[in-house]
Amino acid sequence: MDQREEQEFAEYFVARREAVRRMAYMMCGDWHRADDHAQTAFIALHRHWRKVRDKGALDAYVRRILTRAVIDESRRPWRRERSAEKLPDRPAESADVDESVATRQALLDGLQRVPPKQRAVLVLRFLEGLDVAGVAEVMRCSEGTVKSQCARGLAALREVLGDQLGDLRSA
C-alpha cells in the first residue's frame, strides 16, 4: 500500500476500533477474545484494503469479517470446554429479582449460553440495529435463515433468562 492508503486505513481504524471491539464482545462475551476477534477483522481489512472498491461499505465488510471470525472460533474444540472449581456467586437474597435479571450483565451472560450463530444474529439484529436483509448479507445466508435463527435465538435466550430467574428465586 502507498502512504495515502495507509493513512486512510489508519484513520478508519482509529475511528472504528472501539465500536468493532464492543460488537465482538457482544458476540463472544470475553474482552480478551473480543480484542483478538477485532484484531483479526482489522488485519483482514488491511490485507484487502486495495481491493475494497466502496469505502462507504467498510463497516459492513468489517462486520462480516468479525461475524465469521467469532463463529469460526466457536467451532474450535477447545472453546466447547467449560470447567469451574466452584459455582459462581449468587446475588444476595435481598436483591430485587426483576432488577438483577434486567441488568446488562444478565443479558450478556444469557447471550453466552445461546448457540454462536443464533447469538451472532441476535447481536447484529438487535444490538447493532441491522434489518433482516442486512444480517442476511453479513452472514451470507437467506433472510429466512436469519428469521428462523433469530426466533430460535430469542427462544433460547428467554429460556436461559427464565432459568436464571428460577435460580435466583430458589436461592
Side-chain angles (χ1 to χ4, degrees), residues 3 5 16 18 25 35 52 54 56 67 84 87 103 121:
Q3 187 67 23
E5 290 172 329
R16 299 298 298 157
E18 285 305 313
Y25 175 74
D35 288 335
V52 176
D54 183 7
T67 301
L87 294 175
T103 63
V121 168

Side-chain angles (χ1 to χ4, degrees), residues 96-161:
D96 182 16
V97 173
D98 293 331
E99 184 178 287
S100 65
V101 171
T103 63
R104 178 183 173 100
Q105 191 59 45
L107 176 61
L108 293 174
D109 290 344
L111 273 173
Q112 294 315 301
R113 294 176 57 192
V114 173
K117 281 187 180 179
Q118 294 171 9
R119 181 182 332 131
V121 168
L122 293 177
V123 168
L124 292 170
R125 182 81 174 93
F126 299 110
L127 299 176
E128 286 296 310
L130 295 179
D131 60 2
V132 172
V135 175
E137 184 180 330
V138 168
M139 296 190 68
R140 292 185 177 179
C141 63
S142 70
E143 291 184 20
T145 300
V146 170
K147 291 175 185 178
S148 66
Q149 291 293 307
C150 186
R152 290 180 185 136
L154 287 172
L157 186 59
R158 284 185 193 109
E159 184 177 318
V160 166
L161 293 177

Side-chain angles (χ1 to χ4, degrees), residues 23-40:
M23 183 172 45
Y25 175 74
M26 295 289 189
M27 288 186 185
C28 72
D30 180 312
W31 282 111
H32 298 292
R33 285 192 310 163
D35 288 335
D36 292 344
H37 293 312
Q39 182 178 2
T40 299

